[in-house]
Every structure is written in C-alpha cells, then in structure tokens.
C-alpha cells in the first residue's frame, strides 16, 4: 500500500551541527512533498515543499533533497539551534485527491 | 491573535457521548480540513471542505461528521464517542487547493480523551 514514513523516530544533535532528517515514500505518483515542523503543544507548521520534478530546494537554513530513484526525501537543517527541537513530518501530496498523506514523524532534540 | 483557533483545547468524555469540536479561522480561506493525530501514525484526514457548500470524506471519516456553518467555521462531531477516538485533533485551512502547492495552516489542536 501507499505509505510515507521516516527512517528514524528520534534524532539528537549538538547545537550548531547540521541535522538530516530522512523520509521514505512508497508511491511514486505524488506531485510534491512537504516538510512540517510541530513544536510541543502546537499544530504542524509548514517549512518547505518540493515538487516531484525537482531534486533540491533551499530555504532559510533548510534544504530538501528528493531522490526519486530510491524514493527518498530528506530535510537538512544547517547550524541546528535549540528552537529547532520539534517533531518533523514529511508529507506527500497527491493532487488528484487534493489531500496530504503524512508520515509518522521524527523527533529532533537539540543538545545545547 | 491566532489565525486558526480550536475549542476546546482539551476534553475528556465518556463512551457514547456526543462531542463537538469547533474550528474558526480569520485567514479568509475557503478550504478547511480536520485531521486526527495518533502517536506513531502522523496525521490522518477525517473530512475536508472546499467551501461552505462542499463537504468531502477523508480517509477515516467513519464515526465522524462535520458541519461548515460559514467560511470561517468548520465543526467536527463525534456522534457517539468511543475510546479509540482518543487522539489529538487538528483543524487546518488553505487558501487554494493542495494541487496548487498551497500550504496548510494548522490550529493548536484539541486533545480528546474518551473513557
């Protein structure tokens, strides 16, 4: 079946280091992918998205890489800060259904 | 002030009770969504609405109903709550459809416990 999932449920990084959060997906028919950040007690917040015809997109301190060959998506956070501690979700968008399919999430902890 | 608000933020109820969760938004968006979040499962779509006259089932609509009272309000009801509906519920809005790459804006969530 279709699924969007994350390789690691938890990730701990030292403040100032770069973080890499991974995501695997099984359906190659999606149109684009989104990364969301969810801080404790809050709803998910959009970080960045990438269309399926792209392999890289950069934002402020974040980069998303898409490898369609192996159906893998990653979120790289440069110079990780304590405020980056949160659960990160990758999500797959199928425009034909106009809905988002979320993965289970990775919890990122930043060690001061 | 928050753009997407949800009430109540926390609710404990008993099996068989009817529960309504409310969502309001000031973003002026046409599209609204209800999700539930369970540990280890991410968010799953319950219902969504493209405008006041349009309601669509999501992937887990059984046991739930919704009402779009106005552009700004979208309510989720559990007609007869059961324990496996214990979860965190999120409302979200978007200006355009997801096909347009438009981001969703989420409310703070409602934590529902069914005993």
């Amino acid at each position: 079946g279709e699924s969007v999932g994350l390789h690691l449920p938890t990730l701990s990084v030292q403040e100032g280091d770069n973080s890499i959060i991974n995501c695997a997906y099984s359906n190659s028919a999606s149109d684009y992918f989104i990364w969301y950040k969810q801080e404790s007690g809050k709803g998910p917040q959009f970080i960045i998205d990438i269309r399926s015809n792209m392999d890289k997109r950069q934002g402020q301190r974040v980069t998303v890489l898409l490898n369609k060959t192996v159906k893998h998506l990653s979120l790289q956070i440069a110079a990780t800060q304590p405020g980056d501690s949160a659960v990160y979700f990758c999500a797959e968008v199928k425009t034909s259904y106009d809905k988002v399919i979320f993965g289970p999430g990775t919890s990122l902890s930043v060690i001061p | 002030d928050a753009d997407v608000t949800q009430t109540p933020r926390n609710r404990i109820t008993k099996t068989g009770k009817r529960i309504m969760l409310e969502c309001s938004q000031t973003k002026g968006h046409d599209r609204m969504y209800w999700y539930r979040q369970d540990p280890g499962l991410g968010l799953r779509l319950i219902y969504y609405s493209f405008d006041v006259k349009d309601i669509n089932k999501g992937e887990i609509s059984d046991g739930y109903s919704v009402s779009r009272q106005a552009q700004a309000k979208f309510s989720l009801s559990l007609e007869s709550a059961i324990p496996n509906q214990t979860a965190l519920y999120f409302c979200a809005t978007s200006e355009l459809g997801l096909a347009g790459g438009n981001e969703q804006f989420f409310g703070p969530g409602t934590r529902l416990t069914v005993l």
Side-chain angles (χ1 to χ4, degrees):
Chain A
E2 302 166 354
S3 66
V4 180
L6 293 164
H7 290 304
L8 297 174
T10 61
L11 177 66
S12 295
V13 297
Q14 203 73 36
E15 182 178 356
D17 288 352
N18 296 335
S19 301
I20 300 176
I21 301 171
N22 296 304
C23 178
Y25 64 95
S26 60
N27 192 308
S28 58
S30 56
D31 295 288
Y32 64 100
F33 301 86
I34 309 173
W35 281 101
Y36 282 90
K37 173 185 180 183
Q38 185 177 18
E39 296 176 274
S40 180
K42 298 182 179 179
Q45 182 179 15
F46 175 94
I47 302 173
I48 191 169
D49 64 4
I50 185 168
R51 293 201 172 271
S52 59
N53 61 356
M54 302 171 65
D55 53 20
K56 181 179 181 179
R57 190 173 187 203
Q58 288 184 296
Q60 186 177 14
R61 279 200 310 118
V62 296
T63 300
V64 57
L65 299 178
L66 176 62
N67 186 330
K68 294 181 286 293
T69 302
V70 294
K71 297 180 183 176
H72 183 268
L73 184 73
S74 68
L75 177 71
Q76 300 178 4
I77 305 173
T80 311
Q81 303 170 0
D84 294 326
S85 293
V87 176
Y88 290 81
F89 294 94
C90 66
E92 170 187 11
V93 179
K94 297 184 179 185
T95 56
S96 59
Y97 295 107
D98 205 19
K99 66 178 182 181
V100 182
I101 300 175
F102 288 84
T106 290
S107 177
L108 174 65
S109 296
V110 180
I111 305 166
Chain B
D1 289 338
D3 294 318
V4 184
T5 57
Q6 293 181 232
T7 56
R9 294 295 312 278
N10 288 283
R11 181 71 183 268
I12 300 173
T13 190
K14 294 182 179 180
T15 298
K17 294 292 186 180
R18 184 178 188 275
I19 296 298
M20 178 180 284
L21 308 183
E22 310 222 19
C23 176
S24 295
Q25 54 115 344
T26 59
K27 300 191 74 67
H29 290 169
D30 284 327
R31 303 190 174 216
M32 299 186 74
Y33 309 79
W34 273 106
Y35 291 90
R36 67 176 278 175
Q37 184 177 33
D38 298 277
L41 292 179
L43 282 81
R44 292 180 292 166
L45 183 64
I46 306 172
Y47 269 96
Y48 59 108
S49 170
F50 288 170
D51 62 40
V52 176
K53 298 179 181 179
D54 180 84
I55 301 291
N56 303 279
K57 292 183 178 180
E59 57 183 308
I60 54 164
S61 59
D62 289 347
Y64 302 95
S65 62
V66 291
S67 174
R68 185 79 184 270
Q69 302 94 321
Q71 185 202 41
K73 296 185 181 295
F74 192 35
S75 300
L76 176 71
S77 293
L78 287 68
E79 299 300 326
S80 180
I82 55 178
N84 74 3
Q85 291 178 311
T86 293
L88 193 54
Y89 290 84
F90 287 101
C91 173
T93 75
S94 68
E95 183 176 6
L96 299 173
L98 298 172
N102 212 261
E103 71 178 276
Q104 290 181 310
F105 296 85
F106 286 83
T110 294
R111 184 168 297 280
L112 176 66
T113 302
V114 183
L115 301 176

